[in-house]
Amino acid sequence: MTDDWDRVDTGGPDSDLMARGRTVAEDYEPLVTSTEFDELLNPEAVHLHLDDGIDAESGRFDVTWTTKGYYRYHYTEGDDFNYRYDCHPRVELPDTHFHEPPHAAHDDAVPSCIEVHTVRLVTLAVLQLWRDTVETGDLRQLQQPNPP
Amino acid sequence: MADINERVVDEWTESTTARERIKEILEETTTYSTVSTIADRARVSEPTTRKYLNELVEEGIGTTEQDGRATLYKRNQGRLVDRRIEELRTTCSHQELIEGIQEMKESIAEFRETYDVESSEDLVIELEPGDEGWSDVGQWQSTRRNLAIAKAAIQVDEAHRLAEAEV
């Protein structure tokens, strides 16, 4: 894994938690057109393909949940547009932080607006923030109601 | 506009019963947790949470551990392993399982070579806080578990085929 997931033991990828996130996304967001795990037997992420985008015509979330309850929701529209909601221990930032678009680089992180913790609620929040941003074209919607 | 956190919590609590929420939280609780922690997350009172948790443990969805006078709860890992074996057995081909097993064995061999230790437990002992390599501890553990599950899926499938052939 990238970023400083490497600093402490965050647990391994949890296929059951990731499958639960996938089910929530499929049930809730009609623009999720297909989903699949990156690997069949030893998955590290589940891909959620979206039939709309913020800068582009389509996008994708790569979602990881670990056995210790940490998560990563990485959104990408290719090399030019990425952002990410993370929850894992980090120096000088809360566990829940947001890597800002367009690069979602390590140094772009700020505290995240997402305070809920369960798979369903985090997934719903991430998808709702994405939908609000797609509909308004306003990137500030990714950190509602106020960017911290 | 309401805060995003309030929006999703309201949507959840309006469309589910207390028991459904407690079941959902229990199924996601990976480490032993108190009734009050689970009650907070499920947005349900503690007495109601305790009552439903005990029912869910009876049904095999959760397991418990005593911590002094407190009972702690988490998801039943064994049940998830059994379900995963059955899922792989019925959805993957024999060839896919064999190839996956090979890949996972190679990943584990790479971890051993990279860190020059025999197991993920040894790696934990080896690493200092802040060292690079912590994410590989979890990765290694998940790979080992998934390898055992894939092997079991092949074994269980063979048992089913043999039992079928005897009739």
Side-chain angles (χ1 to χ4, degrees):
Chain A
M1 295 196 184
T2 53
D3 200 2
D4 45 6
W5 282 81
D6 254 342
R7 298 195 64 83
V8 291
D9 181 9
T10 49
D14 190 302
S15 56
D16 186 68
L17 293 182
M18 292 189 281
R20 296 174 72 86
R22 173 172 72 173
T23 305
V24 170
E26 287 172 340
D27 288 350
Y28 172 78
E29 178 50 75
L31 290 169
V32 172
T33 48
S34 68
T35 61
E36 85 268 339
F37 280 105
D38 62 338
E39 267 189 54
L40 195 60
L41 302 181
N42 192 28
E44 200 178 323
V46 61
H47 302 306
L48 312 176
H49 298 275
L50 293 147
D51 193 22
D52 206 342
I54 294 167
D55 261 6
E57 296 293 303
S58 62
R60 187 185 82 221
F61 278 106
D62 297 336
V63 178
T64 298
W65 279 86
T66 75
T67 51
K68 291 187 190 288
Y70 296 111
Y71 63 75
R72 174 169 55 179
Y73 284 71
H74 184 110
Y75 180 71
T76 182
E77 293 179 359
D79 290 343
D80 295 336
F81 190 82
N82 291 267
Y83 65 83
R84 186 164 80 246
Y85 299 97
D86 270 359
C87 176
H88 62 86
R90 220 190 119 140
V91 178
E92 289 172 357
L93 271 178
D95 281 5
T96 52
H97 52 271
F98 178 61
H99 292 269
E100 297 181 293
H103 301 303
H106 177 81
D107 294 335
D108 289 343
V110 295
S112 168
C113 67
I114 296 179
E115 290 162 5
V116 287
H117 282 291
T118 67
V119 173
R120 171 182 305 274
L121 297 179
V122 174
T123 306
L124 290 180
V126 168
L127 288 172
Q128 186 63 52
L129 294 167
W130 173 82
R131 177 170 266 274
D132 290 347
T133 309
V134 168
E135 284 174 357
T136 59
D138 179 0
L139 290 180
R140 286 175 304 179
Q141 298 289 333
L142 292 173
Q143 280 275 67
Q144 293 176 25
N146 299 303
Chain B
M1 194 185 292
D3 172 82
I4 184 68
N5 299 288
E6 288 167 24
R7 279 165 77 189
V8 294
V9 168
D10 287 350
E11 196 169 295
W12 187 45
T13 50
E14 281 162 18
S15 61
T16 48
T17 63
R19 193 181 197 279
E20 285 168 342
R21 291 197 298 282
I22 291 160
K23 179 166 181 267
E24 183 171 326
I25 298 303
L26 179 62
E27 285 178 323
E28 286 182 14
T29 302
T30 55
T31 52
Y32 279 114
S33 303
T34 60
V35 174
S36 74
T37 304
I38 294 170
D40 276 353
R41 293 198 161 186
R43 272 78 180 173
V44 178
S45 74
E46 274 193 45
T48 307
T49 301
R50 184 173 289 109
K51 184 185 97 178
Y52 286 137
L53 279 175
N54 290 331
E55 286 180 19
L56 292 161
V57 168
E58 282 285 307
E59 290 170 26
I61 290 163
T63 55
T64 61
E65 184 182 81
Q66 279 307 122
D67 179 21
R69 286 173 58 193
T71 306
L72 305 178
Y73 299 81
K74 71 168 185 177
R75 71 180 181 185
N76 182 351
Q77 294 283 154
R79 173 173 161 270
L80 294 177
V81 167
D82 293 346
R83 277 211 320 217
R84 180 79 174 145
I85 290 168
E86 190 60 14
E87 182 193 339
L88 293 186
R89 185 180 82 75
T90 51
T91 59
C92 294
S93 69
H94 190 74
Q95 189 62 27
E96 283 171 331
L97 289 170
I98 297 287
E99 282 170 13
I101 286 170
Q102 198 54 42
E103 281 169 24
M104 288 187 273
K105 282 183 175 172
E106 282 164 16
S107 301
I108 288 172
E110 275 170 33
F111 286 134
R112 288 203 175 111
E113 199 173 316
T114 304
Y115 296 103
D116 198 23
V117 291
E118 269 310 295
S119 67
S120 57
E121 288 83 357
D122 292 344
L123 181 55
V124 170
I125 295 166
E126 202 75 10
L127 292 173
E128 299 291 338
D131 274 359
E132 281 190 18
W134 279 105
S135 71
D136 281 341
V137 170
Q139 206 76 263
W140 192 338
Q141 287 164 347
S142 289
T143 305
R144 193 170 55 184
R145 183 175 62 249
N146 287 329
L147 174 61
I149 287 171
K151 285 180 177 172
I154 286 186
Q155 293 286 323
V156 173
D157 197 47
E158 188 182 354
H160 275 256
R161 279 191 289 111
L162 291 172
E164 205 56 44
E166 281 167 18
V167 182

